[in-house]
Structure formats: C-alpha cells, structure tokens
Amino acid sequence: MKKLIPALLFAVLFLTFAACGDDKKDEPVFPTTQQLESEHGQANDTYLIWDIDMNQDSSSIYVYKAKFRMGDKESPELNVRVDAPCTVDKTGKIYTFIGTDIMPYLLMGTTHTPFPSLRVNNLRSVVNVEKRTYSITFDCQGTANGRPIDGHYEKEGNLK
C-alpha cells in the first residue's frame, strides 16, 4: 500500500503536466512580415507595394506613379507611402488596411519625406493573398506647392 500511494501521486502529477500542453500548436502559423506587389503592365503604369509587418503598429502601402487633382489641373506623378494599421483574418490570407487623417510620405529622390500639408482620409485596402487580388481606395486632401489637392484614388487588380 505504501508503494501504491507514491505511484498514484506520480500518475496524477504526470497526467496534470501532460494536459498542460500548448493549445496553440494546432493553430496555423502565419508570416508576420511579407511584401506584396500589384501586377502592372507598362513601365509607366501605377503600381502598389504592401509592406506588411504585423509586429508593428502600422504597415506601409507604397503607391507609385499616382496622380491627383490640383484645383483644375492634375498633379504630376507622385510616389506616396501611407502608413496604416493592418489586420489579418483568421485564415491569414486577407489583409485589411483602414485609416483616416494619415500624413503621407512623398518620395523625394530616394528619401520618403513627410508631407504634413496633405492628409490621406477614408483609406481602405484589402489584399487577398489566396485569390491574388487587391483593392484600394482613399481621398487625398490638402495643399502642395500652394495649390489645393482634393483627390480620390481608387484601384483594384491582381497581385504578382
């Protein structure tokens, strides 16, 4: 009987620790960082890059060769970076960026320069890595070179 009690105690302790396994081991593991790029045909086409980092408060969307209205004229092509919060669905395949009143960065040479006189509003971008599709829409408002900008940007397409 004296040997039975320690054996039972050992069995209870063993089962207790065996039941305390990692419950998350069955959950899929998703990449925390990745870079996705839109398809574009011609060298002068607008294209986008999503630089996703789920370890940060925000991720970046790069919009290359975008044009906006400046009063009665169209802006020259601009390369814009917008930093916004990014979420991913439970499958790890659909990334969503949503934000408003975001200061964009304009690419000046090789430097992304903050442009506080412009604001990106009503940003919504959905990137589906399984279907290889994306959509993006936002408003860009403010001034540049003393001219008002009140533009809307909208695009959808396929990922590379």
Side-chain angles (χ1 to χ4, degrees), residues 32-141:
T32 57
T33 61
Q34 64 178 311
Q35 193 173 77
L36 303 166
E37 186 174 342
S38 69
E39 284 184 344
H40 53 284
Q42 304 294 327
N44 59 352
D45 283 351
T46 298
Y47 66 97
L48 297 102
I49 294 177
W50 293 265
D51 196 0
I52 299 169
D53 188 346
M54 300 306 291
N55 296 319
Q56 302 294 322
D57 291 338
S58 65
S59 292
S60 299
I61 303 172
Y62 297 86
V63 184
Y64 292 96
K65 301 183 180 184
K67 291 185 179 184
F68 300 96
R69 295 298 303 166
M70 295 176 64
D72 59 346
K73 296 183 180 181
E74 192 171 68
S75 74
E77 290 181 347
L78 299 173
N79 298 323
V80 180
R81 183 185 94 203
V82 179
D83 297 335
C86 178
T87 58
V88 64
D89 73 338
K90 291 180 183 180
T91 67
K93 296 179 178 158
I94 300 174
Y95 293 92
T96 304
F97 295 78
I98 295 177
T100 200
D101 196 29
I102 302 168
M103 179 181 58
Y105 293 78
L106 299 183
L107 185 61
M108 307 289 196
T110 59
T111 304
H112 288 279
T113 305
F115 214 87
S117 66
L118 287 177
R119 286 312 215 206
V120 169
N121 292 304
N122 306 316
L123 169 70
R124 179 169 178 80
S125 181
V126 178
V127 181
N128 187 321
V129 295
E130 182 177 46
K131 293 182 179 179
R132 309 295 300 163
T133 60
Y134 73 89
S135 65
I136 184 170
T137 181
F138 64 88
D139 299 317
C140 190
Q141 292 136 341

